[in-house]
Amino acid sequence: MKLLTYNFLTSKFIRGVKVGYPLKLNVVQKEIKSADYNQEFITRMIPRLDWAGVCFAAEQVGCGGDIPKEFSDQITGDAEVMQRLHHILLEIDIIEGNLQCPETGRIFPISNGIPNMLLNEEEV
């Protein structure tokens, strides 16, 4: 699971959950997989990202100091920060671990890079 994907996941579909974001990320195994750098793609994704969620995920995978804690419009003009953001979002792949709902504590496993967000019928 790429951290770009993680930034869009939520558990608000569970009965009684109001926000369900950000999910707590527990990493057991991660891999770095090279991906071609595309500045235009990263620039277009930035407005869709929850910056606090990106920073939280970066901390969980050991890259917390690689990007600014606060978002500013100057980020898109800083080539070094954009490349680090590309690395965090697209090259770090969570292979094994889990996601945890911040409101209910419900655990969603990540296995072979795929988060299992399926719910039991009574949870919907």
Side-chain angles (χ1 to χ4, degrees):
M1 176 185 75
K2 304 286 186 207
L3 293 182
L4 178 62
T5 302
Y6 164 78
N7 194 260
F8 295 105
L9 295 177
T10 179
S11 60
K12 69 181 178 183
F13 47 83
I14 298 174
R15 182 180 309 180
V17 172
K18 302 274 188 231
V19 179
Y21 187 85
L23 297 168
K24 182 178 178 188
L25 176 62
N26 299 305
V27 179
V28 174
Q29 180 186 356
K30 69 179 181 180
E31 290 181 1
I32 307 299
K33 297 181 180 178
S34 182
D36 291 338
Y37 177 65
N38 184 334
Q39 184 172 347
E40 182 180 347
F41 176 77
I42 298 296
T43 302
R44 287 183 174 188
M45 288 308 299
I46 287 177
R48 295 175 173 95
L49 298 173
D50 177 88
W51 194 257
V54 171
C55 292
F56 179 75
E59 288 176 20
Q60 298 302 308
V61 297
C63 297
D66 291 354
I67 56 172
K69 298 289 182 209
E70 300 292 323
F71 177 78
S72 71
D73 291 333
Q74 286 82 25
I75 287 173
T76 57
D78 187 332
E80 187 176 319
V81 171
M82 291 292 283
Q83 288 186 346
R84 289 188 298 219
L85 185 59
H86 162 82
H87 172 72
I88 291 166
L89 294 175
L90 298 174
E91 294 185 331
I92 297 175
D93 203 5
I94 308 304
I95 304 301
E96 301 292 330
N98 63 59
L99 302 166
Q100 183 176 12
C101 174
E103 294 175 47
T104 65
R106 168 73 151 80
I107 302 285
F108 301 98
I110 301 169
S111 182
N112 295 320
I114 301 170
N116 181 349
M117 303 289 290
L118 295 175
L119 297 176
N120 298 319
E121 192 172 320
E122 64 274 1
E123 294 176 298
V124 182

